[in-house]
Amino acid sequence: MNQYLDIKPEVREALAAGKPVVALESTIISHGMPYPQNVETALNVEKIIREHGAVPATIAIIGGRLKAGLTPEEIEYFGKKGTTIAKASRRDLAVLCARGEDGATTVTTTMIIAHMAGISFFATGGIGGVHRGAEKTMDISADLEELARTPVMVICAGAKAILDLRLTLEYLETHGVPVLGYGTEELPAFYSRHSGLKVDYRVDSPEELAEAFCVQKELGLGGGMLVTNPIPEAYAMDGTAIDRAIDQAVREAEKQGVRGKEITPFLLARVKDLTGGDSLESNIRLVYNNAALAAETAKAYQGVNG
Ligand code: PSU
Ligand code: MN
């Protein structure tokens, strides 16, 4: 096993016994939501996964160790330290481990560490993608590249319109990543159930998701799968209000010259401030919804596979 990896005993035992395990990311805790709602959400997500019969493994880097599974105290630590913790993508892993530092894992690094640990399912809120104006800035999230290479199923609520969703789908198509819509043919856009864009396939049950993932593995195709699960109707937000906030946030980022790894956290924080508490509540609810689907899919996978 990888000498930098620590798998929490509960997670290790579940994996050894062939029980379903669901990975969770830590950047959503440190950079995606304010304290203390971030910690409360992270703990609730773990609880929901347990209620659906799977074992949660929140992933992070602590003191240069790659952690698959955190204690509640460690989750509290990430939530409290917030954006002072380094946001760790693929390019950061080696240096953070060599220096013995902490890192919050993005979708990219959560996929990498989940795969090292033997975890195939991962629930989150939204993924990174192709930024608006990428034809000039070349700002394309490493999340898309990781989906192309690492065999983990990522269950999300689509992506925020801080990105160019059409270009994000084009990029995923080029790199051979299947984009599945759960109960929908339309790509959901995080706060909203609608984007006006089509997913590759509509899938209607956890069993169908598990089967597709199993076949992708059997075919030896490599790479991940992206499941987009629309926010529950009751928590979906008015598209135009959100779009206005997003447009303003993108303009501010441009004006202030925000770029690189800073831009996504900047946009997330601005959209939250501009839309008030409503968007935070929606964000939390869609993560819960994705956690439940990921746990059910991990469970169904044990049925197909075991
Ligand atoms: N989008 C969200 N919430 C998030 C993120 C994206 O709606 O918390 C985080 C995830 O950790 C994602 C990362 O992997 O931002 C993408 O950052 P970048 O665009 O720098 O690749
Ligand atoms: Mn970027």
Side-chain angles (χ1 to χ4, degrees):
M1 200 184 72
N2 190 309
Q3 60 171 316
Y4 295 97
L5 178 65
D6 291 333
I7 307 180
K8 190 180 169 187
E10 183 197 10
V11 174
R12 181 193 303 282
E13 281 156 29
L15 290 167
K19 289 195 186 134
V21 177
V22 175
L24 300 159
E25 63 159 303
S26 45
T27 293
I28 193 176
I29 307 174
S30 58
H31 292 66
M33 288 181 198
Y35 181 80
Q37 289 94 336
N38 54 1
V39 171
E40 196 186 301
T41 303
L43 295 174
N44 278 338
V45 167
E46 290 212 341
K47 190 164 150 251
I48 289 166
I49 287 170
R50 287 183 203 286
E51 283 165 2
H52 284 266
V55 172
T58 301
I59 289 181
I61 304 159
I62 301 181
R65 305 291 305 169
L66 309 178
K67 299 279 183 189
L70 299 187
T71 63
E73 294 72 29
E74 288 167 334
I75 288 176
E76 172 79 21
Y77 170 77
F78 270 80
K80 261 204 169 130
K81 286 203 90 178
T83 54
T84 62
I85 292 200
K87 176 181 157 197
S89 191
R90 176 176 270 274
R91 58 101 187 259
D92 304 294
L93 277 189
V95 174
L96 290 176
C97 285
R99 291 184 174 172
E101 289 180 10
D102 296 338
T105 55
T106 61
V107 168
T108 296
T109 36
T110 303
M111 289 180 76
I112 295 171
I113 298 168
H115 181 56
M116 282 177 183
I119 304 168
S120 297
F121 299 90
F122 162 22
T124 189
I127 60 157
V130 180
H131 279 263
R132 299 187 191 180
E135 62 277 13
K136 283 219 183 85
T137 62
M138 288 186 69
D139 191 348
I140 299 173
S141 174
D143 292 354
L144 302 185
E145 202 64 45
E146 207 59 48
L147 279 161
R149 70 197 281 179
T150 301
V152 169
M153 177 178 270
V154 179
I155 292 132
C156 68
K160 291 198 176 94
I162 57 171
L163 303 172
D164 187 321
L165 299 181
R166 196 179 57 78
L167 293 189
T168 299
L169 286 181
E170 292 291 352
Y171 194 96
L172 289 167
E173 179 190 356
T174 301
H175 291 82
V177 179
V179 179
L180 310 179
Y182 191 69
T184 181
E185 274 154 28
E186 190 180 357
L187 179 77
F190 200 85
Y191 297 118
S192 153
R193 296 169 62 88
H194 306 288
S195 66
L197 298 165
K198 272 200 169 347
V199 293
D200 302 329
Y201 297 96
R202 171 181 174 152
V203 172
D204 289 297
S205 68
E207 290 70 28
E208 234 189 304
L209 288 174
E211 182 74 39
F213 188 65
C214 191
V215 173
Q216 178 158 303
K217 285 202 163 193
E218 282 170 349
L219 287 171
L221 291 175
M225 262 188 183
L226 186 65
V227 179
T228 60
N229 186 26
I231 184 171
E233 196 88 62
Y235 302 105
M237 294 184 71
D238 170 37
T240 53
I242 275 289
D243 285 349
R244 257 204 310 274
I246 287 171
D247 287 343
Q248 183 177 333
V250 169
R251 275 197 309 273
E252 287 178 10
E254 252 167 49
K255 219 163 155 191
Q256 296 177 34
V258 185
R259 54 178 74 87
K261 69 195 285 189
E262 315 297 342
I263 192 154
T264 297
F266 175 91
L267 294 173
L268 297 179
R270 283 306 286 149
V271 169
K272 183 191 68 65
D273 289 346
L274 292 167
T275 51
D278 288 1
S279 70
L280 181 58
E281 174 70 7
S282 294
N283 195 344
I284 291 169
R285 293 298 172 161
L286 65 83
V287 176
Y288 294 166
N289 190 44
N290 297 339
L293 180 58
E296 291 298 332
T297 305
K299 234 165 42 184
Y301 186 73
Q302 298 309 329
V304 182
N305 209 37

